[in-house]
Short mmCIF file of all heavy atoms in Angstrom, two decimals:
data_model
loop_
_atom_site.label_atom_id
_atom_site.label_comp_id
_atom_site.label_asym_id
_atom_site.label_seq_id
_atom_site.Cartn_x
_atom_site.Cartn_y
_atom_site.Cartn_z
N SER A 1 -81.84 -13.60 140.34
CA SER A 1 -82.27 -13.15 141.67
C SER A 1 -82.62 -11.67 141.67
O SER A 1 -83.61 -11.25 142.26
CB SER A 1 -81.18 -13.40 142.70
OG SER A 1 -80.88 -14.76 142.79
N LEU A 2 -81.79 -10.87 140.99
CA LEU A 2 -82.07 -9.44 140.92
C LEU A 2 -83.34 -9.17 140.13
O LEU A 2 -84.08 -8.24 140.45
CB LEU A 2 -80.88 -8.71 140.29
CG LEU A 2 -79.64 -8.59 141.16
CD1 LEU A 2 -78.51 -7.95 140.38
CD2 LEU A 2 -79.93 -7.80 142.41
N GLY A 3 -83.61 -9.97 139.12
CA GLY A 3 -84.84 -9.81 138.35
C GLY A 3 -86.07 -10.06 139.20
O GLY A 3 -87.03 -9.30 139.16
N VAL A 4 -86.04 -11.11 140.00
CA VAL A 4 -87.17 -11.43 140.87
C VAL A 4 -87.32 -10.36 141.95
O VAL A 4 -88.42 -9.89 142.23
CB VAL A 4 -86.98 -12.83 141.50
CG1 VAL A 4 -88.02 -13.09 142.57
CG2 VAL A 4 -87.06 -13.90 140.43
N ALA A 5 -86.21 -9.95 142.55
CA ALA A 5 -86.27 -8.93 143.61
C ALA A 5 -86.76 -7.59 143.05
O ALA A 5 -87.55 -6.89 143.69
CB ALA A 5 -84.89 -8.76 144.24
N SER A 6 -86.33 -7.24 141.84
CA SER A 6 -86.78 -6.00 141.22
C SER A 6 -88.27 -6.03 140.93
O SER A 6 -88.98 -5.04 141.16
CB SER A 6 -86.02 -5.74 139.93
OG SER A 6 -84.65 -5.61 140.19
N ALA A 7 -88.76 -7.15 140.44
CA ALA A 7 -90.19 -7.27 140.16
C ALA A 7 -91.01 -7.16 141.44
O ALA A 7 -92.04 -6.48 141.48
CB ALA A 7 -90.47 -8.61 139.47
N MET A 8 -90.55 -7.79 142.52
CA MET A 8 -91.26 -7.71 143.79
C MET A 8 -91.22 -6.28 144.34
O MET A 8 -92.21 -5.82 144.92
CB MET A 8 -90.66 -8.70 144.79
CG MET A 8 -90.96 -10.13 144.44
SD MET A 8 -90.10 -11.36 145.44
CE MET A 8 -90.44 -10.86 147.09
N THR A 9 -90.12 -5.57 144.15
CA THR A 9 -90.01 -4.19 144.62
C THR A 9 -90.97 -3.29 143.87
O THR A 9 -91.64 -2.44 144.46
CB THR A 9 -88.56 -3.69 144.45
OG1 THR A 9 -87.69 -4.54 145.20
CG2 THR A 9 -88.41 -2.26 144.94
N VAL A 10 -91.05 -3.46 142.56
CA VAL A 10 -91.97 -2.64 141.75
C VAL A 10 -93.42 -2.89 142.17
O VAL A 10 -94.20 -1.96 142.33
CB VAL A 10 -91.75 -2.92 140.25
CG1 VAL A 10 -92.86 -2.31 139.41
CG2 VAL A 10 -90.40 -2.39 139.81
N VAL A 11 -93.78 -4.15 142.38
CA VAL A 11 -95.14 -4.47 142.80
C VAL A 11 -95.43 -3.86 144.17
O VAL A 11 -96.50 -3.30 144.40
CB VAL A 11 -95.35 -6.01 142.82
CG1 VAL A 11 -96.65 -6.38 143.50
CG2 VAL A 11 -95.34 -6.54 141.40
N ALA A 12 -94.47 -3.94 145.10
CA ALA A 12 -94.67 -3.38 146.44
C ALA A 12 -94.83 -1.86 146.38
O ALA A 12 -95.68 -1.29 147.08
CB ALA A 12 -93.50 -3.75 147.35
N LEU A 13 -94.03 -1.19 145.56
CA LEU A 13 -94.15 0.26 145.43
C LEU A 13 -95.49 0.67 144.83
O LEU A 13 -96.13 1.62 145.30
CB LEU A 13 -93.00 0.81 144.57
CG LEU A 13 -91.63 0.83 145.24
CD1 LEU A 13 -90.55 1.22 144.23
CD2 LEU A 13 -91.63 1.78 146.41
N LEU A 14 -95.92 -0.04 143.81
CA LEU A 14 -97.22 0.27 143.19
C LEU A 14 -98.37 0.04 144.18
O LEU A 14 -99.27 0.87 144.30
CB LEU A 14 -97.43 -0.57 141.94
CG LEU A 14 -96.57 -0.19 140.74
CD1 LEU A 14 -96.77 -1.19 139.60
CD2 LEU A 14 -96.89 1.22 140.27
N LEU A 15 -98.33 -1.08 144.88
CA LEU A 15 -99.38 -1.38 145.85
C LEU A 15 -99.38 -0.38 146.99
O LEU A 15 -100.44 0.08 147.42
CB LEU A 15 -99.20 -2.80 146.39
CG LEU A 15 -100.32 -3.35 147.26
CD1 LEU A 15 -101.63 -3.39 146.48
CD2 LEU A 15 -99.97 -4.73 147.76
N GLY A 16 -98.21 0.01 147.48
CA GLY A 16 -98.12 1.02 148.53
C GLY A 16 -98.64 2.37 148.08
O GLY A 16 -99.32 3.08 148.82
N GLY A 17 -98.34 2.74 146.83
CA GLY A 17 -98.85 3.99 146.29
C GLY A 17 -100.36 4.01 146.17
O GLY A 17 -101.01 5.00 146.52
N VAL A 18 -100.94 2.90 145.72
CA VAL A 18 -102.40 2.82 145.59
C VAL A 18 -103.07 2.87 146.96
O VAL A 18 -104.05 3.60 147.17
CB VAL A 18 -102.80 1.54 144.83
CG1 VAL A 18 -104.29 1.28 144.92
CG2 VAL A 18 -102.36 1.64 143.37
N VAL A 19 -102.54 2.13 147.93
CA VAL A 19 -103.12 2.14 149.27
C VAL A 19 -102.99 3.52 149.91
O VAL A 19 -103.92 4.03 150.54
CB VAL A 19 -102.48 1.03 150.15
CG1 VAL A 19 -102.88 1.19 151.61
CG2 VAL A 19 -102.86 -0.34 149.65
N GLY A 20 -101.83 4.16 149.75
CA GLY A 20 -101.64 5.50 150.29
C GLY A 20 -102.59 6.51 149.66
O GLY A 20 -103.18 7.35 150.35
N TRP A 21 -102.76 6.41 148.34
CA TRP A 21 -103.69 7.31 147.64
C TRP A 21 -105.12 7.11 148.14
O TRP A 21 -105.85 8.08 148.37
CB TRP A 21 -103.59 7.05 146.14
CG TRP A 21 -104.52 7.89 145.33
CD1 TRP A 21 -104.40 9.20 145.03
CD2 TRP A 21 -105.75 7.45 144.73
NE1 TRP A 21 -105.46 9.61 144.27
CE2 TRP A 21 -106.31 8.56 144.07
CE3 TRP A 21 -106.41 6.23 144.68
CZ2 TRP A 21 -107.51 8.48 143.38
CZ3 TRP A 21 -107.60 6.16 143.99
CH2 TRP A 21 -108.14 7.26 143.36
N LEU A 22 -105.51 5.85 148.34
CA LEU A 22 -106.86 5.58 148.84
C LEU A 22 -107.05 6.12 150.26
O LEU A 22 -108.11 6.67 150.59
CB LEU A 22 -107.16 4.08 148.81
CG LEU A 22 -107.39 3.49 147.42
CD1 LEU A 22 -107.49 1.97 147.51
CD2 LEU A 22 -108.63 4.07 146.78
N LEU A 23 -106.05 5.99 151.11
CA LEU A 23 -106.16 6.50 152.48
C LEU A 23 -106.25 8.02 152.50
O LEU A 23 -107.04 8.60 153.26
CB LEU A 23 -104.98 6.03 153.32
CG LEU A 23 -104.98 4.54 153.70
CD1 LEU A 23 -103.67 4.18 154.39
CD2 LEU A 23 -106.17 4.22 154.58
N ILE A 24 -105.46 8.69 151.68
CA ILE A 24 -105.51 10.15 151.61
C ILE A 24 -106.86 10.61 151.07
O ILE A 24 -107.47 11.54 151.59
CB ILE A 24 -104.34 10.69 150.76
CG1 ILE A 24 -103.03 10.48 151.50
CG2 ILE A 24 -104.54 12.16 150.42
CD1 ILE A 24 -101.80 10.78 150.67
N ARG A 25 -107.32 9.93 150.05
CA ARG A 25 -108.63 10.30 149.47
C ARG A 25 -109.76 10.11 150.48
O ARG A 25 -110.65 10.94 150.59
CB ARG A 25 -108.86 9.45 148.22
CG ARG A 25 -110.07 9.84 147.47
CD ARG A 25 -110.16 9.12 146.17
NE ARG A 25 -111.50 9.37 145.64
CZ ARG A 25 -111.97 8.82 144.58
NH1 ARG A 25 -111.23 7.97 143.91
NH2 ARG A 25 -113.18 9.08 144.16
N ARG A 26 -109.71 8.99 151.21
CA ARG A 26 -110.74 8.74 152.23
C ARG A 26 -110.69 9.80 153.32
O ARG A 26 -111.71 10.29 153.80
CB ARG A 26 -110.54 7.36 152.84
CG ARG A 26 -111.69 6.97 153.77
CD ARG A 26 -111.36 5.72 154.51
NE ARG A 26 -110.86 6.16 155.81
CZ ARG A 26 -110.31 5.37 156.70
NH1 ARG A 26 -110.11 4.12 156.45
NH2 ARG A 26 -109.92 5.84 157.86
N SER A 27 -109.48 10.18 153.74
CA SER A 27 -109.33 11.17 154.79
C SER A 27 -109.87 12.53 154.35
O SER A 27 -110.55 13.21 155.12
CB SER A 27 -107.85 11.29 155.15
OG SER A 27 -107.64 12.35 156.03
N ARG A 28 -109.60 12.91 153.12
CA ARG A 28 -110.09 14.19 152.61
C ARG A 28 -111.60 14.18 152.40
O ARG A 28 -112.27 15.19 152.59
CB ARG A 28 -109.39 14.55 151.32
CG ARG A 28 -107.96 14.95 151.54
CD ARG A 28 -107.30 15.35 150.26
NE ARG A 28 -105.91 15.74 150.51
CZ ARG A 28 -105.03 15.98 149.57
NH1 ARG A 28 -105.38 15.89 148.30
NH2 ARG A 28 -103.81 16.32 149.89
N HIS A 29 -112.13 13.04 152.03
CA HIS A 29 -113.57 12.93 151.81
C HIS A 29 -114.35 13.00 153.13
O HIS A 29 -115.38 13.63 153.21
CB HIS A 29 -113.89 11.62 151.08
CG HIS A 29 -115.34 11.40 150.86
ND1 HIS A 29 -116.08 12.15 149.97
CD2 HIS A 29 -116.21 10.53 151.42
CE1 HIS A 29 -117.34 11.74 150.01
NE2 HIS A 29 -117.44 10.75 150.88
N ARG A 30 -113.83 12.34 154.15
CA ARG A 30 -114.52 12.31 155.44
C ARG A 30 -114.34 13.61 156.20
O ARG A 30 -115.17 13.96 157.04
CB ARG A 30 -113.99 11.16 156.30
CG ARG A 30 -114.36 9.80 155.71
CD ARG A 30 -113.80 8.69 156.51
NE ARG A 30 -114.48 8.61 157.79
CZ ARG A 30 -114.16 7.77 158.75
NH1 ARG A 30 -113.16 6.96 158.59
NH2 ARG A 30 -114.83 7.75 159.86
N GLY A 31 -113.28 14.31 155.98
CA GLY A 31 -113.03 15.55 156.68
C GLY A 31 -112.28 15.31 157.97
O GLY A 31 -112.31 14.24 158.55
N LEU A 32 -111.61 16.35 158.44
CA LEU A 32 -110.78 16.22 159.63
C LEU A 32 -111.62 16.07 160.89
O LEU A 32 -111.28 15.34 161.80
CB LEU A 32 -109.86 17.44 159.75
CG LEU A 32 -108.85 17.42 160.87
CD1 LEU A 32 -107.91 16.22 160.70
CD2 LEU A 32 -108.05 18.70 160.89
N GLU A 33 -112.77 16.76 160.96
CA GLU A 33 -113.60 16.74 162.17
C GLU A 33 -114.16 15.35 162.44
O GLU A 33 -114.21 14.89 163.57
CB GLU A 33 -114.74 17.75 162.02
CG GLU A 33 -115.50 18.01 163.30
CD GLU A 33 -114.63 18.68 164.36
OE1 GLU A 33 -113.71 19.41 164.01
OE2 GLU A 33 -114.88 18.42 165.55
N ARG A 34 -114.59 14.65 161.41
CA ARG A 34 -115.14 13.30 161.62
C ARG A 34 -114.03 12.29 161.89
O ARG A 34 -114.25 11.31 162.56
CB ARG A 34 -115.92 12.87 160.38
CG ARG A 34 -117.30 13.46 160.38
CD ARG A 34 -118.13 12.79 159.33
NE ARG A 34 -118.51 13.83 158.36
CZ ARG A 34 -118.75 13.64 157.10
NH1 ARG A 34 -118.65 12.45 156.59
NH2 ARG A 34 -119.09 14.61 156.32
N GLU A 35 -112.86 12.54 161.34
CA GLU A 35 -111.75 11.61 161.54
C GLU A 35 -111.23 11.68 162.98
O GLU A 35 -110.94 10.68 163.60
CB GLU A 35 -110.63 11.94 160.55
CG GLU A 35 -109.51 10.94 160.53
CD GLU A 35 -109.90 9.63 159.86
OE1 GLU A 35 -110.78 9.64 158.98
OE2 GLU A 35 -109.32 8.62 160.23
N HIS A 36 -111.11 12.91 163.52
CA HIS A 36 -110.60 13.11 164.87
C HIS A 36 -111.56 14.05 165.60
O HIS A 36 -111.35 15.26 165.59
CB HIS A 36 -109.20 13.73 164.83
CG HIS A 36 -108.22 12.90 164.07
ND1 HIS A 36 -107.69 11.74 164.56
CD2 HIS A 36 -107.68 13.07 162.84
CE1 HIS A 36 -106.86 11.24 163.67
NE2 HIS A 36 -106.85 12.03 162.61
#
């Protein structure tokens, strides 16, 4: 059970990091004025 839970946690952390990186990159590329 711990093996399965650990694998799911690692996948969730990696996916969250990639999505967060993409959102930050998009925000910096578009600029603050166009975003808000």
Side-chain angles (χ1 to χ4, degrees):
S1 300
L2 288 175
V4 171
S6 299
M8 290 172 51
T9 301
V10 168
V11 169
L13 287 173
L14 289 174
L15 188 61
V18 168
V19 170
W21 178 75
L22 287 173
L23 288 173
I24 290 171
R25 186 172 169 186
R26 187 189 98 188
S27 172
R28 288 182 179 171
H29 178 70
R30 293 177 70 183
L32 185 60
E33 191 65 30
R34 279 192 242 151
E35 188 73 28
H36 302 286

